Amino acid sequence: MNLQLTLISLLFFTSAIAETFKNLDSHPQFPCKPPHFSSYPFCNVSLSIKQRAISLVSLLTLPEKIGQLSNTAASVPRLGIPPYEWWSESLHGLADNGPGVSFNGSISAATSFPQVIVSAASFNRTLWYEIGSAVAVEGRAMYNGGQAGLTFWAPNINVFRDPRWGRGQETPGEDPKVVSEYGVEFVRGFQEKKKRKVLKRRFSDDVDDDRHDDDADGKLMLSACCKHFTAYDLEKWGNFTRYDFNAVVTEQDMEDTYQPPFETCIRDGKASCLMCSYNAVNGVPACAQGDLLQKARVEWGFEGYITSDCDAVATIFAYQGYTKSPEEAVADAIKAGVDINCGTYMLRHTQSAIEQGKVSEELVDRALLNLFAVQLRLGLFDGDPRRGQYGKLGSNDICSSDHRNLALEATRQGIVLLKNDHKLLPLNKNHVSSLAIVGPMANNISNMGGTYTGKPCQRKTLFTELLEYVKKTSYASGCSDVSCDSDTGFGEAVAIAKGADFVIVVAGLDLSQETEDKDRVSLSLPGKQKDLVSHVAAVSKKPVILVLTGGGPVDVTFAKNDPRIGSIIWIGYPGETGGQALAEIIFGDFNPGGRLPTTWYPESFTDVAMSDMHMRANSSRGYPGRTYRFYTGPQVYSFGTGLSYTKFEYKILSAPIRLSLSELLPQQSSHKKQLQHGEELRYLQLDDVIVNSCESLRFNVRVHVSNTGEIDGSHVVMLFSKMPPVLSGVPEKQLIGYDRVHVRSNEMMETVFVIDPCKQLSVANDVGKRVIPLGSHVLFLGDLQHSLSVEF
């Protein structure tokens, strides 16, 4: 949302207004203040949320209603309602990208957790929930100090479809199941009133499925927003921008790739906000696509408000040319189901749209009911927040030791060891007399967090933290910045490398290469970074340790195959604790266990058009497909790659070899009639009756995980399946279960995967209907295979 649209410069004017009223005092303004404004029905906590919202809307004039249709909602002084800023950010910690959060007050920092792509690499649902919960605590504390709102626009749950995408770092990766489950856990942790106690076993994924029952009343601690709906994953590429791009998506890909994260975020996560994206989908702007937005409400049970991205209502007319006037754009968005516009477009054009008969006041009322209902669920109209459930949260709850330890644990678990020839790592700090650190990111704190980073509680570089282990540590940038356009600094880097026992080169990406409004054009290391790595490796006494930063995949085939580069570690954007986590892993105080949540492609993948939204490979046009589920080309590193300092082995203790689906079918179903007529069935198409009956066919896959090495460690167990190719577009394989377990040296533990065949063993057909292929499904667990016959 870092807009560069000239047509919405007024947005920044409203942001300035928001900043002004937000810092009027050290406490948030609130409606229903006694004695003059507390007697309205919308202040009566004994009434239902719906009754209170209806009452409030009924008291507003049309201009007052229109004043609510911006992220900076106007005050209604005669009713004692102060202005409200809807736009706050909390992707991986509180951030001041939007006007809702400010660090210009008594609170000047907040915990900076690792970027989402790094936390996702932990494959630990418990960790994701706890991060959401911790960020929410800090969010409420900031609100109490008058420095944040109650509505936050996170998480980003778009699938990381193309490795060049500048915002892929903000997502949980390329697998729809992982993205979906991250979204659910983060939203639940963020929104729930009653938080789970912080678990002591963060090494493992230990989810308590009964922890959400206490929030049945619909009340919220904070509001989370699932974005960007839908098929949004292009910033600027070729002649396309996110403002005018039309994502052409097949029904098949929509059903089993692009939509699942949003459906689960709403159905299971109970998100209270949905953000529609800039792009069009199959010719219709996402914020004007009523069938998609209403599907969320009607089919998925969405109860919340829908906001546009900033200023995605304006782009309907100004960039996409979908309507003939601003009034038509506003009318189409409101009729489609958009409740609020980030920006000023609705403020400026709704009145005339109503006067021209393009939209009714009743539809504006519908939008306001959704908006006020969320504010009421947040307790905004319940009186002084200092006397409420969260009134005691304050500056002591921000940057706490618990939250810093959580951020550290998330970074530890997300860092991925990609190469470790001849067990170069871990280093023994007692046997390392000197260390050389090379690379522009090694001593730079500005981009450690990635996009949507606020003001971290602490600012320490990778170099500073490595100094804690080896006092004789020297540093040379090698390149003046990450773009590395010149080799003038190579001499100094080579000189310090020659004299050190061990050399660590920090290479990769930063926000100058990938960010909002900027996609990459290459998958190689920027500029002359590759040459820097090779020059240093050529003179180093021992094989070099290569540390890679950045969210997007990088083609480091040269380093993977070079024996002079002994280890490769991916740290992504590790947040404020990144240096400590990296040092602990290099020197063996923590055993790495992260796994890549994306496929790392070779540079040749840049020949594929980023604008091509197809997921499935198509050999007839030389199209290799996308993500590990469908990609058929060469890889640098595969999805799920990740090494450890120890060795883990698996044994499948129990799993069915046959699964009959006959009991799912009603007697008069078309499938049974086909069988009665001797017709062969290749797959079972799912419908609501079958899906609701599918619980009876759930089965367990019990697995023993043994640590046969000499070091304790946590390990991500990943269960994949390969379907029989009985219809077009079947995945090469797909993840059906994962679990992070902690196993001590020379011990073993058991984990159980519960498989729902309607979810894990199904795929979308070419018309977007879920089907279960019949025949042999092969389950993969590391090198183990298990055949499961799915039949009638």
Side-chain angles (χ1 to χ4, degrees):
M1 279 161 280
N2 296 325
L3 291 179
Q4 298 176 10
L5 295 173
T6 57
L7 66 94
I8 50 171
S9 59
L10 279 173
L11 171 61
F12 300 100
F13 173 70
T14 61
S15 298
I17 295 173
E19 188 70 21
T20 298
F21 73 66
K22 183 173 56 186
N23 291 313
L24 287 176
D25 54 48
S26 60
H27 300 288
Q29 300 181 73
F30 59 92
C32 300
K33 284 185 178 179
H36 303 295
F37 301 109
S38 58
S39 59
Y40 292 109
F42 59 79
C43 300
N44 186 347
V45 296
S46 67
L47 298 177
S48 68
I49 296 292
K50 183 176 181 180
Q51 288 173 315
R52 295 169 73 186
I54 291 173
S55 170
L56 177 49
V57 172
S58 72
L59 295 173
L60 299 178
T61 65
L62 180 58
E64 289 169 342
K65 292 175 182 178
I66 293 172
Q68 301 300 308
L69 300 180
S70 167
N71 61 287
T72 304
S75 63
V76 186
R78 66 183 183 86
L79 299 179
I81 299 174
Y84 178 77
E85 179 54 63
W86 289 87
W87 178 7
S88 293
E89 295 287 358
S90 61
L91 182 69
H92 55 108
L94 302 180
D96 52 356
N97 298 72
V101 173
S102 170
F103 292 105
N104 296 322
S106 61
I107 299 170
S108 59
T111 307
S112 176
F113 292 88
Q115 181 60 286
V116 175
I117 194 72
V118 180
S119 295
S122 72
F123 286 86
N124 188 337
R125 299 175 188 85
T126 300
L127 199 62
W128 302 337
Y129 178 93
E130 290 185 7
I131 291 172
S133 178
V135 175
V137 168
E138 297 200 357
R140 263 289 177 170
M142 287 277 281
Y143 170 76
N144 289 345
Q147 293 180 237
L150 293 171
T151 47
F152 291 79
W153 291 350
N156 181 340
I157 55 169
N158 295 113
V159 169
F160 197 166
R161 172 188 63 93
D162 190 288
R164 293 162 285 189
W165 185 29
R167 299 186 73 178
Q169 58 178 288
E170 300 174 21
T171 77
E174 70 181 36
D175 181 77
K177 175 180 172 65
V178 176
V179 176
S180 297
E181 293 177 356
Y182 176 91
V184 168
E185 292 300 328
F186 182 89
V187 169
R188 283 175 168 174
F190 194 77
Q191 292 193 159
E192 285 178 354
K193 294 186 305 175
K194 184 178 179 181
K195 303 299 182 185
R196 267 192 307 154
K197 293 181 180 179
V198 176
L199 297 180
K200 294 180 180 179
R201 289 184 62 228
R202 286 204 187 108
F203 283 111
S204 63
D205 184 2
D206 184 15
V207 179
D208 174 9
D209 290 329
D210 296 325
R211 67 187 185 273
H212 313 298
D213 295 342
D214 61 293
D215 291 281
D217 62 0
K219 291 295 184 71
L220 302 167
M221 181 175 184
L222 291 175
S223 170
C225 193
C226 295
K227 63 183 186 184
H228 311 81
F229 192 58
T230 189
Y232 166 71
D233 48 21
L234 181 149
E235 303 298 307
K236 284 183 179 177
W237 182 85
N239 294 324
F240 301 101
T241 74
R242 59 180 179 166
Y243 309 118
D244 56 23
F245 179 57
N246 176 31
V248 179
V249 182
T250 68
E251 293 176 298
Q252 189 174 35
D253 290 339
M254 187 68 81
E255 171 62 28
D256 66 10
T257 296
Y258 295 105
Q259 293 296 69
F262 291 97
E263 182 175 358
T264 55
C265 199
I266 290 167
R267 284 190 188 273
D268 301 329
K270 308 298 182 186
S272 53
C273 169
L274 184 64
M275 177 185 286
C276 56
S277 53
Y278 291 112
N279 57 287
V281 181
N282 296 329
V284 182
C287 290
Q289 195 147 149
D291 57 343
L292 282 177
L293 299 185
Q294 291 309 310
K295 183 174 186 175
R297 289 200 185 277
V298 176
E299 294 186 25
W300 301 345
F302 176 58
E303 295 181 356
Y305 74 99
I306 297 176
T307 180
S308 75
D309 207 334
C310 307
D311 196 333
V313 176
T315 61
I316 295 172
F317 168 67
Y319 276 72
Q320 295 163 354
Y322 183 73
T323 63
K324 296 179 180 179
S325 69
E327 287 78 12
E328 287 183 3
V330 167
D332 281 2
I334 292 175
K335 287 188 285 189
V338 175
D339 300 313
I340 194 172
N341 168 226
C342 177
T344 61
Y345 211 66
M346 284 186 176
L347 293 182
R348 291 181 282 138
H349 300 296
T350 301
Q351 179 77 44
S352 54
I354 292 174
E355 291 171 354
Q356 294 173 22
K358 298 185 183 301
V359 69
S360 67
E361 185 175 350
E362 287 73 23
L363 287 179
V364 174
D365 290 349
R366 180 185 71 176
L368 296 188
L369 287 173
N370 293 328
L371 293 168
F372 288 135
V374 170
Q375 289 183 329
L376 287 160
R377 292 169 64 191
L378 287 162
L380 190 60
F381 292 85
D382 292 352
D384 189 343
R386 288 170 289 183
R387 298 180 180 178
Q389 182 176 357
Y390 312 107
K392 293 183 179 180
L393 293 176
S395 58
N396 291 337
D397 299 289
I398 299 176
C399 295
S400 66
S401 59
D402 279 349
H403 289 178
R404 188 187 183 280
N405 289 336
L406 178 60
L408 176 61
E409 188 62 33
T411 308
R412 288 167 173 160
Q413 291 195 26
I415 289 176
V416 181
L417 180 63
L418 295 171
K419 178 182 179 180
N420 197 28
D421 286 355
H422 309 296
K423 297 184 178 180
L424 174 63
L425 296 179
L427 301 182
N428 186 332
K429 61 184 177 183
N430 297 319
H431 297 162
V432 179
S433 61
S434 61
L435 199 62
I437 313 296
V438 173
M441 280 289 283
N443 203 27
N444 186 327
I445 60 172
S446 60
N447 284 329
M448 289 279 282
T451 56
Y452 288 85
T453 297
K455 302 295 187 291
C457 305
Q458 68 168 31
R459 296 172 177 270
K460 292 186 178 181
T461 68
L462 304 179
F463 170 64
T464 301
E465 292 287 8
L466 287 164
L467 269 173
E468 295 293 321
Y469 282 81
V470 180
K471 296 304 179 184
K472 189 179 178 182
T473 296
S474 53
Y475 168 73
S477 64
C479 304
S480 60
D481 54 28
V482 169
S483 296
C484 198
D485 296 324
S486 170
D487 61 3
T488 55
F490 283 18
E492 182 185 7
V494 168
I496 67 167
K498 285 181 178 179
D501 274 0
F502 288 91
V503 179
I504 299 171
V505 180
V506 182
L509 311 173
D510 71 354
L511 298 186
S512 70
Q513 307 297 311
E514 53 171 5
T515 189
E516 186 165 5
D517 238 359
K518 183 181 179 67
D519 295 319
R520 288 190 289 159
V521 295
S522 172
L523 297 181
S524 299
L525 287 173
K528 298 179 182 293
Q529 281 194 34
K530 176 182 175 183
D531 294 337
L532 174 64
V533 175
S534 297
H535 277 69
V536 169
V539 301
S540 178
K541 297 175 184 177
K542 298 182 178 65
V544 162
I545 300 160
L546 177 61
V547 175
L548 296 173
T549 63
V554 181
D555 184 351
V556 288
T557 302
F558 80 96
K560 180 181 180 181
N561 297 331
D562 189 342
R564 300 173 303 174
I565 299 170
S567 296
I568 302 176
I569 304 172
W570 175 74
I571 64 171
Y573 294 105
E576 66 177 71
T577 59
Q580 181 179 346
L582 174 63
E584 288 179 352
I585 286 173
I586 287 176
F587 289 98
D589 288 340
F590 188 86
N591 187 354
R595 289 182 179 247
L596 291 180
T598 55
T599 300
W600 283 33
Y601 303 84
E603 174 67 19
S604 59
F605 189 84
T606 57
D607 294 336
V608 176
M610 192 173 176
S611 55
D612 193 326
M613 302 294 289
H614 289 86
M615 298 301 299
R616 270 85 176 167
N618 187 330
S619 58
S620 66
R621 61 186 183 94
Y623 185 69
R626 296 179 179 277
T627 75
Y628 81 93
R629 295 164 64 228
F630 303 108
Y631 178 61
T632 56
Q635 305 174 40
V636 179
Y637 287 110
S638 61
F639 172 89
T641 295
L643 305 176
S644 171
Y645 294 153
T646 189
K647 185 178 180 181
F648 296 93
E649 295 180 355
Y650 306 134
K651 180 180 181 181
I652 298 177
L653 298 177
S654 65
I657 59 174
R658 178 177 177 273
L659 183 68
S660 174
L661 304 181
S662 58
E663 65 184 78
L664 293 180
L665 296 178
Q667 287 298 320
Q668 300 302 314
S669 73
S670 59
H671 291 297
K672 285 201 171 178
K673 290 179 181 178
Q674 283 179 265
L675 290 172
Q676 291 167 0
H677 288 88
E679 299 178 32
E680 180 183 1
L681 282 182
R682 293 181 299 152
Y683 54 81
L684 176 66
Q685 183 169 314
L686 303 180
D687 55 31
D688 289 337
V689 175
I690 295 174
V691 172
N692 292 336
S693 306
C694 214
E695 287 189 14
S696 63
L697 288 183
R698 288 181 179 175
F699 61 89
N700 292 342
V701 177
R702 294 175 53 234
V703 177
H704 252 174
V705 184
S706 301
N707 181 347
T708 59
E710 298 178 355
I711 303 175
D712 298 351
S714 61
H715 178 67
V716 180
V717 187
M718 308 181 88
L719 181 65
F720 293 90
S721 77
K722 183 174 179 62
M723 302 175 183
V726 296
L727 72 159
S728 62
V730 170
E732 297 294 310
K733 64 177 181 179
Q734 70 180 21
L735 185 67
I736 63 172
Y738 58 91
D739 189 20
R740 189 174 185 113
V741 297
H742 187 70
V743 190
R744 298 190 180 204
S745 172
N746 295 310
E747 293 187 7
M748 65 176 59
M749 71 166 297
E750 180 180 323
T751 188
V752 178
F753 297 104
V754 180
I755 306 302
D756 183 331
C758 290
K759 295 179 180 178
Q760 276 83 48
L761 302 184
S762 68
V763 67
N765 64 14
D766 56 6
V767 293
K769 301 295 183 182
R770 281 273 173 183
V771 301
I772 301 178
L774 301 179
S776 178
H777 291 243
V778 181
L779 307 185
F780 293 88
L781 188 70
D783 296 330
L784 300 180
Q785 296 186 22
H786 176 86
S787 292
L788 170 65
S789 178
V790 179
E791 57 194 49
F792 282 110

